[in-house]
Amino acid sequence: MQETLGTRLFGGRLYFYPEIASTNDEAIALAMAGAPEGTAVLADAQTAGRGRWHRSWISPPGVNIYTSIVLRPECESSRASQIPIMAGVAAAEVLDSVCPGRVKLKWPNDVMIGPKKVCGILSQAKITSKKINFAVVGIGINVNAVLHHFPKTIRESATSLFLESGGEISRHDLLISLYENLEKWYKQLLQKGFGPIRKKWIESAPMMGQPIRITFKGEKTEGMAKRLDDDGCLVLAVEGNEEIKVSAGDAIIMRWKENAFGD
Ligand code: BTN
Protein backbone atom coordinates (compact mmCIF):
# COMPACT_ATOMS: atom_id res chain seq x y z
CA MET A 1 0.00 0.00 0.00
CA GLN A 2 2.66 2.53 1.02
CA GLU A 3 4.54 1.97 -2.26
CA THR A 4 1.45 2.93 -4.27
CA LEU A 5 0.73 6.09 -2.33
CA GLY A 6 1.52 9.13 -4.44
CA THR A 7 1.08 11.29 -1.34
CA ARG A 8 4.09 12.52 0.59
CA LEU A 9 2.32 12.99 3.87
CA PHE A 10 -0.97 11.17 4.35
CA GLY A 11 -0.65 7.44 4.81
CA GLY A 12 3.16 7.60 4.64
CA ARG A 13 2.99 5.87 8.01
CA LEU A 14 0.11 3.46 7.85
CA TYR A 15 -1.11 1.18 10.66
CA PHE A 16 -3.43 -1.52 9.36
CA TYR A 17 -5.67 -3.65 11.57
CA PRO A 18 -7.91 -6.50 10.37
CA GLU A 19 -10.17 -5.51 13.29
CA ILE A 20 -10.04 -2.70 15.82
CA ALA A 21 -12.48 -0.98 18.16
CA SER A 22 -12.25 2.41 16.44
CA THR A 23 -9.57 3.81 14.12
CA ASN A 24 -10.17 7.24 15.70
CA ASP A 25 -9.31 5.93 19.16
CA GLU A 26 -6.14 4.31 17.85
CA ALA A 27 -5.10 7.44 15.92
CA ILE A 28 -5.69 9.57 19.04
CA ALA A 29 -3.51 7.18 21.08
CA LEU A 30 -0.78 7.38 18.43
CA ALA A 31 -1.01 11.18 18.30
CA MET A 32 -0.77 11.40 22.10
CA ALA A 33 2.38 9.27 21.84
CA GLY A 34 3.85 11.76 19.33
CA ALA A 35 2.94 10.25 15.93
CA PRO A 36 3.80 12.69 13.14
CA GLU A 37 1.34 14.45 10.88
CA GLY A 38 -0.06 12.20 8.19
CA THR A 39 0.04 9.02 10.29
CA ALA A 40 -2.94 6.95 9.21
CA VAL A 41 -4.84 4.11 10.85
CA LEU A 42 -6.80 1.80 8.60
CA ALA A 43 -9.04 -1.10 9.58
CA ASP A 44 -10.93 -3.78 7.70
CA ALA A 45 -13.55 -3.85 10.46
CA GLN A 46 -14.40 -1.87 13.59
CA THR A 47 -16.10 -3.33 16.64
CA ALA A 48 -16.95 0.06 18.15
CA GLY A 49 -16.97 2.44 15.15
CA ARG A 50 -18.20 5.83 16.33
CA GLY A 51 -20.16 8.57 14.64
CA ARG A 52 -20.98 12.07 15.78
CA TRP A 53 -22.99 12.46 19.01
CA HIS A 54 -21.93 9.01 20.24
CA ARG A 55 -23.82 7.25 17.49
CA SER A 56 -22.36 4.01 16.28
CA TRP A 57 -20.91 3.60 12.80
CA ILE A 58 -21.73 0.25 11.22
CA SER A 59 -18.35 -1.26 10.36
CA PRO A 60 -18.58 -4.80 8.91
CA PRO A 61 -15.42 -6.49 7.53
CA GLY A 62 -14.46 -6.91 3.91
CA VAL A 63 -16.54 -4.18 2.31
CA ASN A 64 -15.89 -0.61 3.47
CA ILE A 65 -13.18 1.91 4.35
CA TYR A 66 -12.54 2.98 7.95
CA THR A 67 -9.56 5.25 8.33
CA SER A 68 -8.30 8.02 10.64
CA ILE A 69 -5.47 10.44 10.01
CA VAL A 70 -3.41 12.50 12.45
CA LEU A 71 -3.08 16.20 11.59
CA ARG A 72 -0.91 18.78 13.32
CA PRO A 73 -1.92 22.15 11.86
CA GLU A 74 -0.29 25.12 13.52
CA CYS A 75 -3.36 27.19 14.05
CA GLU A 76 -5.84 28.59 16.52
CA SER A 77 -8.36 26.23 18.09
CA SER A 78 -11.17 28.34 16.59
CA ARG A 79 -10.27 26.82 13.21
CA ALA A 80 -10.69 23.21 14.36
CA SER A 81 -14.14 22.89 12.79
CA GLN A 82 -12.69 23.75 9.37
CA ILE A 83 -10.96 20.36 9.37
CA PRO A 84 -14.03 18.10 9.02
CA ILE A 85 -15.46 20.47 6.41
CA MET A 86 -12.20 20.22 4.44
CA ALA A 87 -12.35 16.42 4.76
CA GLY A 88 -15.97 16.38 3.55
CA VAL A 89 -15.01 18.37 0.46
CA ALA A 90 -12.05 16.06 -0.25
CA ALA A 91 -14.05 12.85 0.26
CA ALA A 92 -17.01 14.07 -1.81
CA GLU A 93 -14.70 14.92 -4.71
CA VAL A 94 -13.25 11.39 -4.65
CA LEU A 95 -16.66 9.71 -4.43
CA ASP A 96 -17.92 11.90 -7.26
CA SER A 97 -15.50 10.11 -9.59
CA VAL A 98 -17.47 6.89 -8.87
CA CYS A 99 -20.97 8.41 -9.03
CA PRO A 100 -20.50 11.53 -11.20
CA GLY A 101 -22.74 14.48 -10.42
CA ARG A 102 -24.61 12.67 -7.65
CA VAL A 103 -22.46 13.19 -4.56
CA LYS A 104 -23.52 16.10 -2.35
CA LEU A 105 -22.61 17.54 1.03
CA LYS A 106 -24.96 18.05 3.94
CA TRP A 107 -23.95 20.33 6.79
CA PRO A 108 -21.76 19.90 8.64
CA ASN A 109 -19.92 17.12 6.80
CA ASP A 110 -22.11 14.26 5.71
CA VAL A 111 -21.43 12.98 2.21
CA MET A 112 -24.70 12.04 0.55
CA ILE A 113 -26.00 10.39 -2.58
CA GLY A 114 -29.59 11.55 -2.91
CA PRO A 115 -31.19 11.39 0.53
CA LYS A 116 -28.80 8.68 1.78
CA LYS A 117 -25.47 8.96 3.55
CA VAL A 118 -22.52 7.21 1.92
CA CYS A 119 -19.66 8.63 3.99
CA GLY A 120 -19.34 10.09 7.47
CA ILE A 121 -16.59 12.13 9.10
CA LEU A 122 -15.69 12.34 12.77
CA SER A 123 -13.03 14.89 13.63
CA GLN A 124 -11.60 15.18 17.14
CA ALA A 125 -9.01 17.71 18.26
CA LYS A 126 -6.77 18.16 21.28
CA ILE A 127 -6.51 21.82 22.15
CA THR A 128 -3.70 23.26 24.26
CA SER A 129 -3.54 26.98 25.11
CA LYS A 130 -6.10 27.84 22.40
CA LYS A 131 -3.98 26.10 19.74
CA ILE A 132 -4.66 22.84 17.96
CA ASN A 133 -2.21 20.35 19.43
CA PHE A 134 -3.41 17.67 17.03
CA ALA A 135 -6.57 16.67 15.22
CA VAL A 136 -7.69 13.24 14.14
CA VAL A 137 -9.97 13.08 11.15
CA GLY A 138 -11.84 9.79 10.88
CA ILE A 139 -13.58 8.82 7.66
CA GLY A 140 -15.97 5.96 7.06
CA ILE A 141 -17.00 5.20 3.49
CA ASN A 142 -19.64 2.63 2.61
CA VAL A 143 -17.93 1.15 -0.43
CA ASN A 144 -19.16 -2.34 -1.35
CA ALA A 145 -21.70 -2.84 1.43
CA VAL A 146 -25.01 -4.34 0.35
CA LEU A 147 -28.40 -4.10 2.07
CA HIS A 148 -27.83 -6.89 4.57
CA HIS A 149 -24.77 -5.07 5.94
CA PHE A 150 -27.01 -2.23 7.14
CA PRO A 151 -29.36 -2.73 10.08
CA LYS A 152 -33.00 -2.35 8.99
CA THR A 153 -33.26 0.90 10.95
CA ILE A 154 -30.81 2.72 8.66
CA ARG A 155 -31.62 1.16 5.28
CA GLU A 156 -33.66 4.21 4.31
CA SER A 157 -30.92 6.65 5.27
CA ALA A 158 -27.65 4.89 4.33
CA THR A 159 -26.22 3.67 1.06
CA SER A 160 -22.97 2.47 -0.48
CA LEU A 161 -21.05 3.22 -3.65
CA PHE A 162 -21.79 -0.32 -4.83
CA LEU A 163 -25.53 0.08 -4.31
CA GLU A 164 -25.50 3.39 -6.17
CA SER A 165 -23.15 2.54 -9.03
CA GLY A 166 -24.00 -1.14 -9.51
CA GLY A 167 -20.37 -2.19 -9.64
CA GLU A 168 -17.79 -3.39 -7.14
CA ILE A 169 -15.20 -0.76 -6.29
CA SER A 170 -11.54 -1.35 -5.40
CA ARG A 171 -11.13 -0.21 -1.80
CA HIS A 172 -7.38 -0.02 -2.36
CA ASP A 173 -7.65 2.41 -5.30
CA LEU A 174 -10.33 4.47 -3.58
CA LEU A 175 -8.24 4.77 -0.42
CA ILE A 176 -5.21 5.97 -2.37
CA SER A 177 -7.33 8.63 -4.11
CA LEU A 178 -8.78 9.59 -0.73
CA TYR A 179 -5.38 10.12 0.93
CA GLU A 180 -4.10 12.04 -2.10
CA ASN A 181 -7.13 14.29 -2.26
CA LEU A 182 -7.21 14.88 1.48
CA GLU A 183 -3.61 15.94 1.33
CA LYS A 184 -4.35 18.32 -1.56
CA TRP A 185 -7.24 20.03 0.28
CA TYR A 186 -5.41 20.07 3.61
CA LYS A 187 -2.50 21.92 1.99
CA GLN A 188 -4.99 24.37 0.46
CA LEU A 189 -6.42 24.98 3.93
CA LEU A 190 -2.98 25.66 5.38
CA GLN A 191 -1.73 27.79 2.50
CA LYS A 192 -4.83 29.64 1.29
CA GLY A 193 -7.14 29.53 4.29
CA PHE A 194 -10.75 28.46 4.43
CA GLY A 195 -11.98 30.45 1.38
CA PRO A 196 -11.45 27.84 -1.40
CA ILE A 197 -12.86 25.07 0.81
CA ARG A 198 -15.94 27.10 1.69
CA LYS A 199 -16.49 27.85 -2.02
CA LYS A 200 -16.25 24.19 -3.00
CA TRP A 201 -18.42 23.14 -0.04
CA ILE A 202 -21.16 25.60 -1.00
CA GLU A 203 -21.10 24.40 -4.62
CA SER A 204 -21.68 20.83 -3.41
CA ALA A 205 -24.28 21.61 -0.73
CA PRO A 206 -27.80 21.79 -2.18
CA MET A 207 -29.17 23.02 1.15
CA MET A 208 -27.58 26.45 0.75
CA GLY A 209 -30.22 29.08 0.00
CA GLN A 210 -32.96 26.61 0.95
CA PRO A 211 -35.33 26.53 3.92
CA ILE A 212 -33.84 24.04 6.36
CA ARG A 213 -34.46 22.60 9.80
CA ILE A 214 -31.64 21.79 12.22
CA THR A 215 -32.33 19.45 15.11
CA PHE A 216 -29.97 19.38 18.06
CA LYS A 217 -30.73 17.53 21.28
CA GLY A 218 -34.43 17.57 20.42
CA GLU A 219 -34.49 21.30 19.73
CA LYS A 220 -35.44 22.45 16.24
CA THR A 221 -34.20 25.60 14.50
CA GLU A 222 -35.65 26.59 11.13
CA GLY A 223 -34.52 29.20 8.64
CA MET A 224 -32.97 29.84 5.26
CA ALA A 225 -29.41 28.43 4.97
CA LYS A 226 -27.49 31.62 4.24
CA ARG A 227 -23.77 31.23 4.91
CA LEU A 228 -21.03 28.94 6.14
CA ASP A 229 -18.89 30.90 8.58
CA ASP A 230 -15.14 30.54 9.18
CA ASP A 231 -15.85 28.64 12.39
CA GLY A 232 -17.86 26.01 10.47
CA CYS A 233 -21.15 27.35 11.82
CA LEU A 234 -24.12 27.55 9.52
CA VAL A 235 -25.86 30.91 9.49
CA LEU A 236 -29.64 30.80 9.08
CA ALA A 237 -31.77 33.76 8.07
CA VAL A 238 -34.90 33.81 10.16
CA GLU A 239 -37.98 36.01 10.24
CA GLY A 240 -37.52 39.72 10.85
CA ASN A 241 -34.20 39.96 8.97
CA GLU A 242 -32.42 38.22 11.83
CA GLU A 243 -29.61 35.70 11.65
CA ILE A 244 -28.99 32.66 13.83
CA LYS A 245 -25.66 30.87 13.99
CA VAL A 246 -25.85 27.11 14.43
CA SER A 247 -22.79 25.16 15.51
CA ALA A 248 -24.13 21.60 15.75
CA GLY A 249 -27.04 19.41 14.75
CA ASP A 250 -28.64 17.38 12.00
CA ALA A 251 -29.88 19.37 9.04
CA ILE A 252 -32.67 18.62 6.58
CA ILE A 253 -34.07 20.63 3.69
CA MET A 254 -37.72 21.42 4.35
CA ARG A 255 -39.81 20.66 1.30
CA TRP A 256 -43.14 22.13 0.38
CA LYS A 257 -45.89 19.57 0.90
CA GLU A 258 -46.25 17.56 -2.32
CA ASN A 259 -49.91 18.38 -2.40
CA ALA A 260 -50.73 21.28 -0.18
CA PHE A 261 -54.47 20.95 -0.92
CA GLY A 262 -54.59 17.35 0.22
CA ASP A 263 -56.17 16.15 -3.07
C1 BTN B 1 -20.77 10.41 11.41
O1 BTN B 1 -21.29 10.55 10.31
O2 BTN B 1 -21.46 10.52 12.44
C2 BTN B 1 -19.29 10.17 11.49
C3 BTN B 1 -18.93 8.76 11.17
C4 BTN B 1 -17.43 8.52 11.19
C5 BTN B 1 -17.05 7.09 11.03
C6 BTN B 1 -15.57 6.91 10.90
S1 BTN B 1 -15.13 5.27 10.46
C7 BTN B 1 -13.44 5.61 10.77
C8 BTN B 1 -13.42 6.45 12.04
N1 BTN B 1 -13.44 5.61 13.21
C9 BTN B 1 -14.56 5.78 13.94
O3 BTN B 1 -14.82 5.17 15.00
N2 BTN B 1 -15.34 6.69 13.36
C10 BTN B 1 -14.74 7.21 12.15
Side-chain angles (χ1 to χ4, degrees):
M1 167 65 75
Q2 266 117 330
E3 303 87 71
T4 41
L5 277 171
T7 51
R8 269 166 294 163
L9 193 61
F10 288 15
R13 259 178 210 228
L14 182 66
Y15 295 81
F16 173 75
Y17 297 86
E19 186 180 279
I20 198 169
S22 157
T23 56
N24 260 41
D25 290 348
E26 183 62 16
I28 289 171
L30 288 166
M32 297 289 264
E37 177 155 88
T39 300
V41 178
L42 174 69
D44 185 49
Q46 295 183 120
T47 53
R50 287 186 288 110
R52 293 187 302 127
W53 311 122
H54 307 291
R55 293 173 187 147
S56 63
W57 184 258
I58 303 302
S59 308
V63 283
N64 294 333
I65 287 176
Y66 320 108
T67 189
S68 302
I69 299 152
V70 175
L71 304 179
R72 294 188 180 277
E74 285 181 15
C75 61
E76 303 296 319
S77 57
S78 57
R79 294 186 62 192
S81 51
Q82 295 177 356
I83 291 170
I85 290 172
M86 175 281 296
V89 162
E93 200 171 57
V94 170
L95 303 198
D96 195 67
S97 62
V98 181
C99 293
R102 298 176 57 208
V103 179
K104 304 289 172 202
L105 288 165
K106 182 160 86 75
W107 185 83
N109 42 51
D110 290 344
V111 185
M112 313 291 292
I113 299 182
K116 298 185 176 186
K117 184 155 151 177
V118 67
C119 163
I121 291 159
L122 177 66
S123 177
Q124 297 175 277
K126 183 170 188 291
I127 309 293
T128 316
S129 312
K130 292 195 174 168
K131 295 260 179 201
I132 299 176
N133 184 315
F134 67 78
V136 161
V137 61
I139 302 177
I141 306 176
N142 299 329
V143 184
N144 292 315
V146 293
L147 272 191
H148 74 79
H149 290 111
F150 298 110
K152 284 201 179 85
T153 47
I154 65 164
R155 283 187 193 162
E156 296 292 307
S157 58
T159 191
S160 72
L161 292 173
F162 174 81
L163 289 171
E164 297 296 330
S165 69
E168 196 161 320
I169 285 115
S170 158
R171 285 186 295 164
H172 175 273
D173 294 353
L174 195 70
L175 187 73
I176 289 168
S177 305
L178 179 69
Y179 287 158
E180 285 177 353
N181 215 41
L182 272 171
E183 187 166 330
K184 177 188 96 179
W185 281 103
Y186 179 58
K187 283 182 175 163
Q188 279 256 357
L189 181 63
L190 296 183
Q191 287 160 14
K192 300 197 176 138
F194 191 50
I197 288 158
R198 186 201 337 259
K199 184 170 178 288
K200 180 78 179 170
W201 189 92
I202 289 170
E203 282 166 13
S204 319
M207 66 171 37
M208 293 313 282
Q210 299 294 316
I212 65 162
R213 175 185 300 138
I214 297 188
T215 310
F216 183 57
K217 294 187 175 166
E219 203 169 296
K220 292 179 173 45
T221 311
E222 293 179 0
M224 200 70 82
K226 197 173 173 188
R227 253 192 352 263
L228 180 68
D229 268 358
D230 276 358
D231 54 8
C233 287
L234 194 63
V235 178
L236 304 187
V238 292
E239 271 182 24
N241 236 359
E242 272 186 60
E243 289 186 348
I244 294 184
K245 243 175 118 133
V246 190
S247 63
D250 289 310
I252 54 158
I253 298 182
M254 295 193 294
R255 300 207 181 279
W256 295 109
K257 278 190 194 151
E258 286 291 309
N259 184 342
F261 300 104
D263 296 342

